[in-house]
Amino acid sequence: MTAIHCLNGPNLNLLGTREPGIYGAATLADIERTLQAQAARLDIALTFRQTNHEGELVTFVQEAGAAGAGVLLNAAAYTHTSIALRDAIAGTGVIAVEIHLSNVHAREEFRHVSRIAPVCAGVISGLGPYSYVAGLDALAHLLRERRPSAS
Ligand code: DQA
């Protein structure tokens, strides 16, 4: 079975109350429920995790790599700063898709830079919680394309 780890970075545990004008009303638990339903439809084993700590996010990427899973990654603010995270994606060779709820390119300039985009297969930004669903679909497609024997 295709495995995907959806990894979430700092402050995403606050979704629902955090700047709702930017991030909307859905909580991370709401997003996880929607994503698990989509994963079941696609026959994907989905692991969903969140951390506020950079090193722990690096460990999560390494664990996904060791498990042979693809990575759906909302690295939140670490997107814009973390060379360690970039190195973890490159070093493990995981297939990763970068996602964001908000359109980072319509926001402050510091959000226009992604340290991880160059080592990700693609980027989805600005679709709200649907960014997660679109990212899961895209990643499932990529993983199946690369491993046609996987079901
Ligand atoms: C975010 C965008 C980031 O710039 C920000 O730091 C976040 C959330 C998003 O999902 O829109 O924490 O990744």
Side-chain angles (χ1 to χ4, degrees):
M1 193 187 236
T2 302
I4 291 179
H5 290 197
C6 177
L7 307 180
N8 294 276
N11 300 305
L12 293 171
N13 55 313
L14 300 179
L15 288 177
T17 56
R18 175 192 182 199
E19 300 183 88
I22 296 173
Y23 297 115
T27 65
L28 197 60
D30 294 334
I31 291 172
E32 178 176 3
R33 243 187 320 275
T34 304
L35 207 61
Q36 287 289 3
Q38 181 68 358
R41 278 190 284 273
L42 297 174
D43 202 23
I44 284 167
L46 178 73
T47 299
F48 194 94
R49 309 175 91 176
Q50 189 272 334
T51 177
N52 289 324
H53 303 280
E54 183 177 8
E56 195 167 28
L57 200 53
V58 166
T59 298
F60 286 176
V61 170
Q62 292 182 4
E63 287 174 356
V71 173
L72 184 61
L73 181 57
N74 187 349
Y78 291 137
T79 303
H80 316 299
T81 61
S82 181
I83 294 167
L85 196 53
R86 178 198 163 113
D87 286 353
I89 297 165
T92 55
V94 291
I95 299 173
V97 170
E98 174 185 336
I99 55 169
H100 301 284
L101 293 155
S102 64
N103 178 356
V104 288
H105 298 288
R107 300 181 63 195
E108 303 95 327
E109 231 170 270
F110 63 83
R111 295 186 206 275
H112 301 177
V113 174
S114 170
R115 299 284 186 202
I116 61 173
V119 292
C120 287
V123 180
I124 296 170
S125 180
L127 308 181
Y130 187 70
S131 290
Y132 282 76
V133 176
L136 188 78
D137 287 353
L139 193 51
H141 172 79
L142 291 174
L143 291 169
R144 285 177 176 148
E145 212 171 42
R146 295 199 193 185
R147 279 178 289 166
S149 59
S151 61

